Amino acid sequence: MTIRRRFLLTPSFARLIQRERGGLRQVEGFFLEQRDRTSWVRLEESRGLLILSSAGPDGDVEEETEVPVGHIHALLDVCAGEVDYSRTALPISDRHALVDQIVRPRALHLVTVEFDTEAEAQAFQPLDWFGPEVTGDPRYTHHSIALRGLDEVPEITLSDAALNSLIDTMEGRFPAQTRMATNRPKARQVPVTRATAQTGDQAIKVDLDEIEKAMMREMEKTLQKDKPE
C-alpha cells in the first residue's frame, strides 16, 4: 500500500523545477467510477500501464499491469476523462517529491510525496516551498480532475523562506526531519517514476546560481503584479 500526501505548488516553482530537472510526459485516462474500485490507464511516453485501485482493510491497494502502448491508445479513446501532465521527480533526502504540471483539462501544479506507512506520512513535515496541503480534498486527485473538473485554484503567496527552501532542495540540503531513518521495503508495489533531463548521453549540469537568479526574477514579477495601482 502506498500512502500519499499532496500539496499545491506555485506555478513559477513548478516551471523552474521542470526547466532545470526535466520531466516525463504522462497521460492518464479514467474509466467510470465503480462502488468499490477505481481503474485507469497511464501512458508514460513509450510505456503503458493498466491500474486497478481497490479498497483494502488498511486502505486502498493499487495493482499495475503493463499493457502494449497500442492498447493504451485504444483504451484512452473510451475513457470517461483524462489528465495530461508532466512529472518531475525531485529528490528530498531518502524519497522524492513528485512535481506534476497538469495542462489538461486545466492548468494545475501539485507536489506529491509517497510513503510506505501511515506513521511515515504523519511524521513528515512539509518543506517550506510546498503550498497548502490538499491531501484530504478529493477534488485535487487526478481521478476527480479527470472526471469532474476543477472550478478554481487558490493563489499561493511567494516568500523568501519558500524560495530559499527550494534552493536548498535543489542543492541537496534538507531539514533534519526529512532524513529520519525508515525501514523501507526492497520492492515498491507502485514504482516511482524518475525523470532526468538529458542532452545526448550526458545529464544536464544544474547551475544553482542561475536557478536562484531565475527564481528571484519570477518572484519579482509576481510581487509586482500584486502591488496596488
Side-chain angles (χ1 to χ4, degrees):
M1 181 177 68
T2 300
I3 298 168
R4 298 179 178 90
R5 290 183 64 179
R6 186 175 293 107
F7 306 83
L8 296 177
L9 184 63
T10 184
S12 58
F13 283 4
R15 286 181 57 199
L16 288 164
I17 291 168
Q18 186 183 63
R19 188 180 71 179
E20 299 303 326
R21 297 298 176 91
L24 179 66
R25 165 82 182 281
Q26 302 188 35
V27 179
E28 292 182 339
F30 291 83
F31 299 102
L32 290 174
E33 296 174 301
Q34 296 177 308
R35 185 179 62 179
D36 58 347
R37 65 180 182 178
T38 303
S39 55
W40 69 97
V41 293
R42 178 187 298 149
L43 179 61
E44 299 176 354
E45 294 186 346
S46 60
R47 180 172 181 247
L49 295 170
L50 173 63
I51 306 168
L52 174 65
S53 176
S54 56
D58 299 318
D60 292 345
V61 178
E62 291 182 5
E63 298 178 3
E64 293 183 352
T65 302
E66 193 154 348
V67 176
V69 170
H71 294 183
I72 294 295
H73 282 290
L75 291 169
L76 285 171
D77 289 339
V78 297
C79 284
E82 294 183 9
V83 173
D84 191 340
Y85 62 99
S86 178
R87 169 166 288 182
T88 304
L90 185 63
I92 51 171
S93 191
D94 66 338
R95 62 187 75 247
H96 286 77
L98 305 177
V99 178
D100 290 346
Q101 290 199 71
I102 299 175
V103 297
R104 184 169 59 91
R106 66 154 299 151
L108 180 66
H109 305 82
L110 297 168
V111 54
T112 302
V113 184
E114 297 183 336
F115 307 89
D116 300 307
T117 68
E118 188 67 38
E120 286 183 16
Q122 292 180 358
F124 178 77
Q125 294 297 317
L127 302 179
D128 287 342
W129 58 271
F130 290 15
E133 184 164 10
V134 292
T135 301
D137 192 335
R139 295 178 302 164
Y140 293 98
T141 63
H142 287 188
H143 173 259
S144 179
I145 294 168
L147 298 183
R148 301 183 186 88
L150 186 64
D151 292 333
E152 58 183 0
V153 179
E155 292 189 7
I156 304 171
T157 303
L158 293 177
S159 68
D160 285 340
L163 177 58
N164 285 322
S165 174
L166 181 55
I167 294 171
D168 285 344
T169 299
M170 302 287 280
E171 292 178 339
R173 299 197 303 268
F174 315 105
Q177 62 88 24
T178 65
R179 298 193 294 270
M180 61 187 177
T182 56
N183 295 321
R184 303 181 67 81
K186 295 181 179 179
R188 295 291 300 275
Q189 188 169 10
V190 181
V192 173
T193 300
R194 303 187 182 186
T196 303
Q198 293 185 339
T199 302
D201 294 329
Q202 299 295 323
I204 294 175
K205 184 178 180 180
V206 177
D207 188 332
L208 292 169
D209 290 334
E210 288 301 319
I211 294 174
E212 184 171 2
K213 291 177 184 177
M215 289 178 177
M216 292 302 297
R217 289 195 295 269
E218 292 286 346
M219 258 187 94
E220 288 172 2
K221 291 179 184 178
T222 302
L223 293 173
Q224 286 293 333
K225 290 179 182 178
D226 292 338
K227 288 184 178 180
E229 298 293 338

